[in-house]
Amino acid sequence: MVESLKTPDAMQQWSQKKYKMGKTVGLVPTMGALHRGHISLIEASKQENDLTVVSIFVNPTQFSAGEDFEKYPRDFAGDCKKLEQAGIDALFLPKTSDMYSEGFATYIEVRGISNRLCGAYRAGHFTGVATIVAKLFNTVMPTHAYFGLKDYQQCVVIRKMVSDLNIPVTLRFCDTVREHDGLAMSSRNTYLTSEQRLDAPILYKALCKASLLISERRLVKFREAASLMQQLLKSSAHISEIQYGSVYDSETLDDISEQDASSYSGKPVALAIAVKIGSTRLIDNLIVTVP
Ligand code: AMP
């Protein structure tokens, strides 16, 4: 059985003890319904830390009104089995009322980048993310923390918060784990019907095609890569809404589709997409270094 810590106090005491013993602690924050993407973060943590802590907390403040907080997939029994197999050292499982006690009033807002891309469609989402991640850092006090590049904007927001607030943690961003057909693994993929699921790899296909245009220098402006992605997404029978699909500066997240590719020579750019398939929102991205 994996050791479970159910309150922030118990978690802090556990971590303080390990800290005094000189142990390094890796934290993998999750919302549960674990899949191989989560497990890859655990493996990365185990490779470079003495101890690995996983948190499971479906964070209400990062869901906007009308989103899927209530029906977000939860599979506690399945998660426990996977965590035991993965060999973690502790599971932090706080209750909502412990993380947000009555009268909770302090939020972290990472200005600018939080309002772009997903932030433009999910009001308050990144404030919820930054706040809960800061709380997890203060509770678990990890030396290292692991996040998936699948949620690229989340990585950029957390990196900025850690830098701006001088939080003493080393961040690691890990590659996206995909299904055999390229679909990025996500707990929300279970919402897709079998027909929608067949169409869902179109996101990754669009990213790969646009990425080739860039890496093989077959374009002048990034706009050509953005148009190619849009065209492919529009050809899908199941995509009901394209929220964004373009080329972005990998740090500021500015849309750079009107810029010449040559102005980014040698630098990484982010190709990123968000669509709805039926009522399910899917995101994906690729980071490409411009030749
Ligand atoms: P979530 O439970 O969806 O909040 O995700 C917890 C962590 O797992 C986040 O850092 C995600 O970016 C990461 N993650 C989710 N899906 C994947 C994936 N397919 N590959 C790698 N990391 C992932």
Side-chain angles (χ1 to χ4, degrees), residues 157-170:
V157 167
I158 291 167
R159 184 168 59 200
K160 186 82 179 114
M161 173 184 80
V162 163
S163 158
D164 285 354
L165 299 183
N166 309 94
I167 300 178
V169 64
T170 300

Side-chain angles (χ1 to χ4, degrees), residues 24 28 38 48 62 133 144 155 191 222-223 273:
T24 55
V28 180
H38 299 113
E48 63 177 343
Q62 71 188 71
V133 170
H144 297 74
C155 295
Y191 296 156
F222 288 124
R223 178 210 284 258
I273 289 174

Side-chain angles (χ1 to χ4, degrees), residues 29-31 35 37-38 41 147-148 150-151 154 175-177 185:
T30 81
M31 298 205 298
H35 51 67
H38 299 113
L41 304 183
F147 296 90
K150 186 210 157 231
D151 299 286
Q154 173 167 283
D175 286 341
T176 302
V177 177
M185 290 197 169

